[in-house]
Amino acid sequence: MDLTSSVGNKLVQGDELGYDRAKEVKEFDETKAGVKGLVDSGVTKVPRFLIHPPESLPNPMLSPATTHFQVPVIDIQGFEQSCRRMEIVDQIRKASETWGFFQMINHGVPLSAMDKMLEAVQQFHEQPKEEKIKWYSRDLKQPVKYYSNMNLLVSKEASWRDSISFDFKYGPLNLVALPLACRESVSEYWKHMIELSKTLKELLSEALGLSTDYLANIECMKPELFLCHYYPACPEPDLTLGTKKHSDPSSLTILLQDNIGGLQVLHQDNWVNVPPVHGALVVNIGDLLQLITNDKFRSVEHRVPAGRIGPRISAACFLNPSPARKLGPIKEFLSDSNPPIYRETHISEYAAHYTSKEGNSALSHFKLL
Ligand code: OGA
Ligand code: NI
């Protein structure tokens, strides 16, 4: 069913198709119970405001099961030793240039911290509703919040997931400002993200042929936003999506996914599964690293279909540039034969433009003609 079909150039809104979309969305938002609340109340049909048009839904003919591609898995054990390091850096360079994605193993983040993190996200979402709704908010200035679909009130269709986010933009979070269910796990896991981001900054700098401290010096990869998703089991997974196709508006994303699977990445026009590997972290290049590297490293589109099996849990750590820094293609890369592709911008300008594009690539807006 297509809810927002185009007639001429005019977008037909839900209410013209026989239902008051704004009203349904508002009622859903006011429950503060998220998609999980729908499932708990026993829905067997996906409500209309969560149904995506057919062109956005996975095409069964192009199922990832039919492709032979495999997302690279990179073992970074021994990266401090110079001969291992050269190999690792080379693998990271190739993966970042061709896939924009890789899975990383032996990265030093303890398995227990990863498992506890996933459990805590589940516990947060599965605690009594009265406790959880205290955190329900869409206020961007609120550093810790729980919500279903940040852009629920403005987007054409909502996705089958709830989220809790932790914003470290304003500095470290006060422990007591974290929900009890995830207080310890988040602070422990975040310490590891800070450590791992230092390693990744070095390895990516070298993969770009730059000095080891280059990316750290330009302050373009700071762990800043932690977004934890809860994808409930869906009764009609062919009608909606867990996360629709998008690229990340970060420099780099470090994603922890549980063992259910579902993340898919677009590679050479094929959707390829990123299979769960216990202990692995998924790393992907974001739009801003593509901009800074003048398209050497690629920010690649990915999505999560809705699934009959759930809940699926994931936790994404977004590394972002400092708001004080101008962002533009790295001067060392530029020459007459490699002119800048993008104009300079700031994270705030980029983020504003990204939001207005609803997940579609915002990079083209910053291209020099
Ligand atoms: C994201 C994202 C994937 C996942 O939050 O940007 O792509 O597996 N998440 O939840
Ligand atoms: Ni993403």
Side-chain angles (χ1 to χ4, degrees):
M1 184 168 38
D2 189 359
L3 290 177
T4 51
S5 47
S6 276
V7 177
N9 285 329
K10 185 170 171 279
L11 198 66
V12 178
Q13 293 300 331
D15 51 358
E16 292 174 37
L17 290 173
Y19 91 106
D20 188 343
R21 179 182 174 82
K23 181 166 171 281
E24 286 195 14
V25 162
K26 185 165 177 282
E27 280 168 8
F28 167 75
D29 199 35
E30 284 170 356
T31 67
K32 303 187 179 183
V35 174
K36 179 175 188 303
L38 294 174
V39 175
D40 290 345
S41 71
V43 297
T44 53
K45 299 232 159 293
V46 170
R48 287 171 289 193
F49 68 91
L50 280 142
I51 297 179
H52 289 242
E55 63 275 16
S56 313
L57 290 165
N59 178 347
M61 306 295 284
L62 302 172
S63 148
T66 61
T67 71
H68 59 280
F69 290 113
Q70 261 188 356
V71 179
V73 176
I74 304 180
D75 182 349
I76 69 162
Q77 179 120 43
F79 71 85
E80 301 95 337
Q81 303 150 14
S82 58
C83 62
R84 267 299 282 145
R85 193 172 181 104
M86 270 168 65
E87 266 174 70
I88 294 166
V89 164
D90 198 46
Q91 287 175 356
I92 291 181
R93 181 184 53 75
K94 281 196 191 112
S96 305
E97 285 174 358
T98 56
W99 281 86
F101 264 78
F102 55 92
Q103 303 223 56
M104 197 170 46
I105 55 172
N106 293 319
H107 39 62
V109 181
L111 209 53
S112 59
M114 296 165 66
D115 288 344
K116 281 197 194 125
M117 194 55 244
L118 293 172
E119 272 165 36
V121 177
Q122 182 156 6
Q123 270 164 17
F124 175 83
H125 286 278
E126 294 181 359
Q127 69 187 317
K129 189 186 145 193
E130 304 71 59
E131 200 46 45
K132 185 164 80 163
I133 61 174
K134 293 182 196 156
W135 300 93
Y136 198 81
S137 171
R138 274 171 217 295
D139 181 357
L140 292 177
K141 292 198 198 77
Q142 189 168 314
V144 181
K145 52 192 168 288
Y146 143 68
Y147 50 86
S148 182
N149 289 265
M150 184 42 91
N151 54 6
L152 178 73
L153 308 177
V154 287
S155 72
K156 289 212 283 278
E157 54 275 319
S159 295
W160 195 264
R161 70 161 191 274
D162 301 329
S163 309
I164 175 166
S165 70
F166 305 87
D167 195 340
F168 293 79
K169 196 168 37 227
Y170 310 104
L173 294 178
N174 181 353
L175 266 191
V176 289
L178 300 180
L180 205 52
C182 34
R183 199 171 281 179
E184 265 183 41
S185 331
V186 171
S187 55
E188 168 76 8
Y189 187 77
W190 200 252
K191 277 186 216 146
H192 292 296
M193 288 299 103
I194 293 172
E195 275 314 300
L196 184 58
S197 72
K198 290 180 191 158
T199 306
L200 280 168
K201 268 182 259 198
E202 291 189 4
L203 297 175
L204 286 162
S205 297
E206 293 176 25
L208 289 165
L210 300 163
S211 63
T212 307
D213 56 0
Y214 196 97
L215 292 173
N217 287 344
I218 65 167
E219 293 183 303
C220 77
M221 277 173 57
K222 228 175 131 220
E224 194 176 77
L225 177 67
F226 192 34
L227 206 50
C228 303
H229 303 301
Y230 182 94
Y231 299 91
C234 179
E236 292 182 307
D238 298 341
L239 296 181
T240 186
L241 282 156
T243 294
K244 64 184 192 183
K245 178 173 96 168
H246 69 284
S247 60
D248 290 349
S250 55
S251 296
L252 197 79
T253 307
I254 306 173
L255 179 95
L256 167 62
Q257 63 166 339
D258 70 7
N259 59 2
I260 294 202
L263 176 63
Q264 300 178 341
V265 43
L266 196 56
H267 181 68
Q268 298 183 10
D269 287 334
N270 294 273
W271 283 105
V272 180
N273 282 325
V274 184
V277 174
H278 193 208
L281 289 165
V282 181
V283 176
N284 67 285
I285 307 292
D287 296 347
L288 297 173
L289 203 54
Q290 173 165 342
L291 184 146
I292 292 169
T293 64
N294 212 33
D295 279 358
K296 187 168 163 62
F297 284 178
R298 298 180 47 225
S299 173
V300 171
E301 288 174 317
H302 48 287
R303 70 179 183 194
V304 181
R308 272 189 202 283
I309 300 172
R312 172 182 183 268
I313 317 282
S314 68
C317 162
F318 295 94
L319 276 52
N320 285 339
S322 154
R325 293 280 185 158
K326 268 193 208 155
L327 306 173
I330 289 173
K331 301 279 180 291
E332 281 77 350
F333 286 164
L334 304 179
S335 63
D336 288 345
S337 59
N338 188 20
I341 297 169
Y342 302 101
R343 68 168 172 86
E344 280 187 339
T345 180
H346 276 99
I347 178 137
S348 53
E349 187 192 13
Y350 193 83
H353 191 69
Y354 180 89
T355 308
S356 75
K357 299 278 282 189
E358 270 214 45
N360 293 317
S361 175
L363 271 180
S364 56
H365 179 77
F366 297 87
K367 275 197 167 162
L368 292 163
L369 291 175

